[in-house]
DNA sequence: GATCCGTGGAT
DNA sequence: TATCCAAGGAT
């Protein structure tokens, strides 16, 4: 790996800055009038979730809960319900907890610095830096999966970053970050955008890349990854069962009796209100009783569900 | 540091 | 059809 000298680095900064100005997507959380709260919500929703799926839910949330206090005034189950099918519903729970924390400890405002942001539920290393940079214009070392991949190819000459974030990657990101505060904010956004739109994990569009002439990976002849990413299993897992149960709870207007999860409604002699389809999907999984038990217990422990009147419901 | 935690579009 | 993988965080 060869670090660019200061002149080369300035060239990279300039090239990506221009590329971003010309081609970046118009996303509502990038609008100048978007509130810090809107940016915070977008960052949490975007964790492990593509932009196209986030957009409609984010718009709904902003209309429904325009400030942290609006969300904090609701039961946490409302956040989970309106999270819809974004996935990882714990994020909704933590977003609600973060809203409560902001109301109780930050005068209802989104904290404007990395340290305090990091103290919010569901806000980790990446998200704290991203909010500090994009909502408050701070110079932060933002490192997400896109930025890691761009750095790996452009500077390190490897096809993919290491399986887990390393200290070396953070040092590299520090070294590449423009000294100028405003430029550093745009640099973070543009490297991320490049990774999302051009320097993608599979079949990168190198012909469209504004810095392809500087790319160490291209110069090395596009060597293949040095390891095989291990896939996320899904079928037959507890996660799949949890997901199916959550789909039922999101649709339910009243608590869903326990037996309903184990037995078809028809066999119980009555139909549930509005949960027919997700309930059928759950039953189609035909999971073992102990697996269903684990899933339900896990959801209760995590606070994604609660018992009420002998049934299960989202926290009210 | 390894695991767990959802979902669905793309390939 | 099966696998990949997306603006990670918490434990």
């Amino acid at each position: 790996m060869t670090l660019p000298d200061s002149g080369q680095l300035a060239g990279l900064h300039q090239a990506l800055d221009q590329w971003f100005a010309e081609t970046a997507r118009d996303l509502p959380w990038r609008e100048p009038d978007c509130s810090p709260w809107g940016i915070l919500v977008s960052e949490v929703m975007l964790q492990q979730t593509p932009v196209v799926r986030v957009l409609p839910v984010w718009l709904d949330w902003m209309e429904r809960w325009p400030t942290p206090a609006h969300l904090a005034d609701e039961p946490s189950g409302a956040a989970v319900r309106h999270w819809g099918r974004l996935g990882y519903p714990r994020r909704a729970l933590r977003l609600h907890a973060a809203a409560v924390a902001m109301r109780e400890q930050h005068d209802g405002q989104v904290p404007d610095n990395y340290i305090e942001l990091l103290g919010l539920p569901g806000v980790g290393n990446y998200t704290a830096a991203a909010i500090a940079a994009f909502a408050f214009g701070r110079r932060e070392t933002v490192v997400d999966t896109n930025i890691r991949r761009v750095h790996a190819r452009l500077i390190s000459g490897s096809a993919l970053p290491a399986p887990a974030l390393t200290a070396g990657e953070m040092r590299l990101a520090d070294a590449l970050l423009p000294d100028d505060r405003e430029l550093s904010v745009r640099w973070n956004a543009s490297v991320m955008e490049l990774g999302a739109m051009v320097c993608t994990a599979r079949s990168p569009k190198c012909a469209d890349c504004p810095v392809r002439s500087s790319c160490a990976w291209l110069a090395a002849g596009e060597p293949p990854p040095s390891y095989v990413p291990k896939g996320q299993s899904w079928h037959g897992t507890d996660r799949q069962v949890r997901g199916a149960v959550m789909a039922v709870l999101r649709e339910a207007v009243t608590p869903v009796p326990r037996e309903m999860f184990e037995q078809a409604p028809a066999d119980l002699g009555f139909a549930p209100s509005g949960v027919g389809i997700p309930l059928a999907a759950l039953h189609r999984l035909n999971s073992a009783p102990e697996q269903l038990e684990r899933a339900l217990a896990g959801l209760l422990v995590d606070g994604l569900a609660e018992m009420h009147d002998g049934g299960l419901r989202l926290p009210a």
Side-chain angles (χ1 to χ4, degrees), chain A residues 184-202:
Chain A
S184 76
V185 173
R186 300 200 299 272
W187 168 256
N188 282 325
S190 59
V191 176
M192 206 179 309
E193 182 79 355
L194 187 73
M197 302 304 292
V198 175
C199 197
T200 50
R202 285 186 294 178

Side-chain angles (χ1 to χ4, degrees), chain A residues 33-73:
Chain A
D33 64 339
C34 183
S35 67
W37 167 241
I39 290 172
L40 186 155
V41 171
S42 80
E43 288 299 343
V44 174
M45 288 184 172
L46 286 164
Q47 291 167 3
Q48 302 282 283
T49 309
V51 166
V52 286
R53 293 231 310 283
V54 165
L55 268 171
V57 182
W58 184 87
L59 291 169
D60 175 56
W61 271 52
M62 288 301 100
E63 186 172 346
R64 192 179 296 276
W65 301 308
T67 71
H70 285 91
L71 178 58
D73 285 342

Side-chain angles (χ1 to χ4, degrees), chain A residues 3-309:
Chain A
L3 271 175
D5 63 38
S6 61
Q8 293 169 325
L9 196 49
L12 288 176
H13 292 159
Q14 197 277 335
L16 274 188
D17 206 46
Q18 181 178 341
W19 173 81
F20 186 80
E22 291 169 352
T23 68
R25 295 166 290 179
D26 289 322
L27 301 173
W29 45 85
R30 284 179 176 165
E31 294 298 315
D33 64 339
C34 183
S35 67
W37 167 241
I39 290 172
L40 186 155
V41 171
S42 80
E43 288 299 343
V44 174
M45 288 184 172
L46 286 164
Q47 291 167 3
Q48 302 282 283
T49 309
V51 166
V52 286
R53 293 231 310 283
V54 165
L55 268 171
V57 182
W58 184 87
L59 291 169
D60 175 56
W61 271 52
M62 288 301 100
E63 186 172 346
R64 192 179 296 276
W65 301 308
T67 71
H70 285 91
L71 178 58
D73 285 342
E74 300 263 9
S76 62
V80 175
R81 192 182 305 279
H82 293 286
W83 194 252
R85 304 187 65 81
L86 275 189
Y88 291 149
R90 295 194 287 196
R91 292 182 293 164
L93 216 50
R94 292 182 178 135
L95 210 31
H96 179 269
V100 171
M102 286 184 271
R103 186 185 60 188
E104 305 301 326
Q105 303 166 27
H106 299 281
D107 196 28
Q109 304 297 309
V110 176
D112 68 356
N113 63 87
Y114 176 86
I115 294 296
E116 289 187 302
L117 284 164
L118 197 55
L120 296 174
V123 176
N125 207 318
Y126 159 75
T127 305
I131 297 169
F134 302 139
F136 299 106
R138 294 190 181 271
R139 183 178 180 276
E140 301 284 345
T141 305
V142 178
V143 178
D144 78 323
T145 187
N146 289 309
I147 290 177
R148 293 184 63 210
R149 188 173 53 251
V150 172
H151 290 175
R153 290 180 183 156
L154 187 62
I155 308 297
S156 309
S158 47
L160 294 174
L165 179 62
T166 66
E169 286 180 85
M170 284 305 293
R171 286 195 299 272
L172 173 58
D174 277 328
L176 297 175
L177 192 68
D179 293 324
D180 180 77
R181 181 180 62 81
E182 294 186 11
L183 182 58
S184 76
V185 173
R186 300 200 299 272
W187 168 256
N188 282 325
S190 59
V191 176
M192 206 179 309
E193 182 79 355
L194 187 73
M197 302 304 292
V198 175
C199 197
T200 50
R202 285 186 294 178
S203 47
K205 304 167 181 63
C206 299
D208 298 335
C209 181
V211 291
R212 61 184 177 280
S213 64
S214 309
C215 182
W217 181 61
L218 280 182
E222 306 181 38
S226 56
Y227 68 98
V228 283
K230 76 172 197 184
Q232 314 158 335
S233 58
W234 173 249
H235 288 286
T237 63
D238 288 4
R239 301 166 77 172
Q240 186 183 30
V241 179
R242 283 172 59 115
V245 171
M246 287 303 296
V248 173
L249 297 185
R250 279 196 303 270
E251 299 304 319
V253 177
T254 57
V256 181
R258 256 214 71 115
E259 316 84 75
M260 204 76 87
F261 293 102
E262 304 158 351
Q263 205 172 353
D267 299 335
L268 293 170
F270 63 100
S273 53
V275 299
I277 292 174
L279 207 46
L282 171 62
H283 290 143
R284 211 172 303 124
L285 295 181
N286 202 15
S287 55
E290 56 269 27
Q291 186 175 37
L292 181 61
E293 185 57 42
R294 270 202 311 276
L296 294 177
L299 291 173
L300 290 170
V301 167
D302 289 350
L304 283 165
E306 65 183 18
M307 294 298 299
H308 185 77
D309 288 343

